[in-house]
Amino acid sequence: MRKTIVIALGGNAIKQADESGTAEEQFKNVQTTCRQLASMLMYGHRLVITHGNGPQAGNLLLQQEAGKEEVPPQPFDIVGAMTQGQIGYMFQQTLQNFLWEQRTPLPVISVVNQVLVSEDDPDYQDPSKPVGPFYTKEEAEKIKAERPEYVIKEVKPPSVEKRFRRVVASPDPIRNIEYLAIRKMVQTGIVVIASGGGGVPVVMDEKGCFRGTAAVIDKDKAGQRLAAVVGADVFMVLTDVDHAKVNFGTPEERDIGCATYSEMVKYAEEGHFKAGSMGPKVEACLRFIKWGGTLAIITSLDKAIGALIGQTGTRIVPDPVC
Ligand code: ADP
Ligand code: MG
């Protein structure tokens, strides 16, 4: 049966941990990813794709800093939009090429979209998401003097010289601003790449106008909002592990196969999923099921198709109604 599937791709879909991030490396990884995505399209499913942008935004922020004597550095929200375009372009082109090779030229589009957040979100009180370059104490003090609005924190032990980093808030996504356009495109059969890097975070003023804010939205939570917008049947989080696990990293570690909503809530409450990595993925999946989704999957890219047909991966389903 044809399904609408929202896929949230992790960092390794674009850049491996040991790579510097050259265009060639990134295109090579994107090709591996798109091969899997193209197979899902061949099964007749509708795909909506979202992805992270951490390493790309980090590098672009470094470039802003390095070139600031020559070219005005761009603010955080614009850097987010630039990486949406950058990564979206790589996926769009690669996927189009694969589809063309198979003589199935489905339309593919990547959109730069904004995601609404609230300035009242508690994360603005004590921002925690490190972004951009590392600084020495002196560099951190100089930047703070130039840009008093920056929050800079010590993120490594005192023995490390470059141990300071800018931190920004990671507010909860409320909704996609461009949701109507995205929904219409998906309904007409277009493969849409959206909310990259969690989307460009914006706040709304009292007149209803939007303005970018220096924040990073978790891409899995933004992916769940996207899944709701397009009325997805399946929400799939593809990362670098093939299952979410209980007792992760201990001798009692065990893969979670199929779990009901309540079973997964219990595991989360027991603290099995780390904040900032598996935690938000599980939370996004639980939100999807609570919203009305029928299946949420956490697995690795190479297991995606197997997980879709119930052979592997962590599969979260609604509680039985009886
Ligand atoms: P991505 O870049 O794909 O969003 P993350 O690095 O944020 O991925 O999250 C995936 C990582 O979560 C895994 O590589 C693993 O180290 C970590 N992790 C934390 N808790 C768990 C758990 N309970 N089960 C599996 N992986 C976990
Ligand atoms: Mg990662």
Side-chain angles (χ1 to χ4, degrees):
M1 195 187 86
R2 167 190 274 230
K3 293 200 165 87
T4 300
I5 307 172
V6 170
I7 299 186
L9 296 165
N12 67 325
I14 313 159
K15 179 183 164 297
Q16 304 298 318
D18 58 348
E19 294 173 345
S20 62
T22 64
E24 291 76 18
E25 285 166 347
Q26 296 189 84
F27 264 116
K28 196 173 121 276
N29 294 318
V30 166
Q31 276 185 6
T32 309
T33 307
C34 285
R35 213 163 272 133
Q36 296 290 325
L37 300 177
S39 320
M40 283 189 234
L41 287 166
M42 290 302 135
Y43 281 97
H45 298 307
R46 272 191 178 152
L47 294 193
V48 184
I49 299 151
T50 188
H51 55 81
N53 73 341
Q56 292 75 20
N59 282 353
L60 203 47
L61 284 167
L62 254 168
Q63 284 179 340
Q64 305 307 304
E65 191 93 358
K68 69 180 173 198
E69 306 304 333
E70 308 266 337
V71 191
Q74 300 301 303
F76 204 77
D77 55 325
I78 295 187
V79 165
M82 285 157 90
T83 61
Q84 270 195 333
Q86 168 195 2
I87 301 169
Y89 156 68
M90 291 193 288
F91 274 106
Q92 186 173 324
Q93 185 188 76
T94 310
L95 198 52
Q96 278 164 344
N97 286 346
F98 277 131
L99 291 169
W100 172 242
E101 272 173 21
Q102 304 186 35
R103 298 295 183 265
T104 311
L106 284 170
V108 182
I109 189 84
S110 59
V111 296
V112 173
N113 68 288
Q114 311 164 82
V115 172
L116 183 67
V117 298
S118 163
E119 264 173 329
D120 296 331
D121 191 289
D123 220 71
Y124 277 100
Q125 301 311 313
D126 185 20
S128 58
K129 178 87 187 162
V131 290
F134 287 86
Y135 304 113
T136 63
K137 190 162 193 293
E138 293 68 37
E139 286 168 341
E141 282 167 359
K142 187 162 171 273
I143 287 170
K144 184 76 192 159
E146 282 169 11
R147 301 205 165 246
E149 74 278 15
Y150 277 22
V151 181
I152 297 180
K153 283 190 181 170
E154 202 167 343
V155 295
K156 290 204 165 176
S159 56
V160 180
E161 213 201 338
K162 287 200 176 247
R163 61 184 184 278
F164 292 86
R165 222 172 161 199
R166 183 177 177 200
V167 290
V168 297
S170 185
D172 220 19
I174 299 170
R175 69 179 165 88
N176 250 292
I177 305 300
E178 293 80 5
Y179 74 96
L180 276 177
I182 293 173
R183 183 185 291 159
K184 286 210 161 132
M185 285 193 282
V186 173
Q187 282 169 348
T188 53
I190 300 173
V191 181
V192 178
I193 303 156
S195 282
V200 180
V202 296
V203 291
M204 190 165 64
D205 68 17
E206 59 287 349
K207 293 191 194 121
C209 295
F210 302 117
R211 162 175 61 79
T213 166
V216 175
I217 302 174
D218 177 80
K219 69 113 179 30
D220 298 308
K221 290 185 185 165
Q224 184 275 324
R225 295 284 186 249
L226 186 62
V229 159
V230 301
D233 304 292
V234 183
F235 176 53
M236 224 180 188
V237 178
L238 299 183
T239 182
D240 55 2
V241 285
D242 48 31
H243 290 85
K245 297 159 199 285
V246 287
N247 303 312
F248 177 67
T250 73
E252 286 77 47
E253 179 178 300
R254 188 174 58 77
D255 289 348
I256 302 170
C258 195
T260 64
Y261 175 86
S262 295
E263 283 163 350
M264 210 63 185
V265 167
K266 184 169 155 281
Y267 293 141
E269 283 169 0
E270 287 168 356
H272 290 285
F273 313 120
K274 292 214 170 80
S277 57
M278 192 50 74
K281 297 184 197 314
V282 170
E283 163 130 37
C285 288
L286 290 172
R287 285 183 185 179
F288 178 68
I289 299 294
K290 199 167 180 187
W291 161 81
T294 51
L295 176 62
I297 294 172
I298 300 172
T299 193
S300 53
L301 191 59
D302 57 322
K303 302 272 167 35
I305 291 171
L308 208 51
I309 55 172
Q311 290 179 341
T312 185
T314 298
R315 295 162 50 87
I316 308 162
V317 295
D319 286 334
V321 188
C322 49

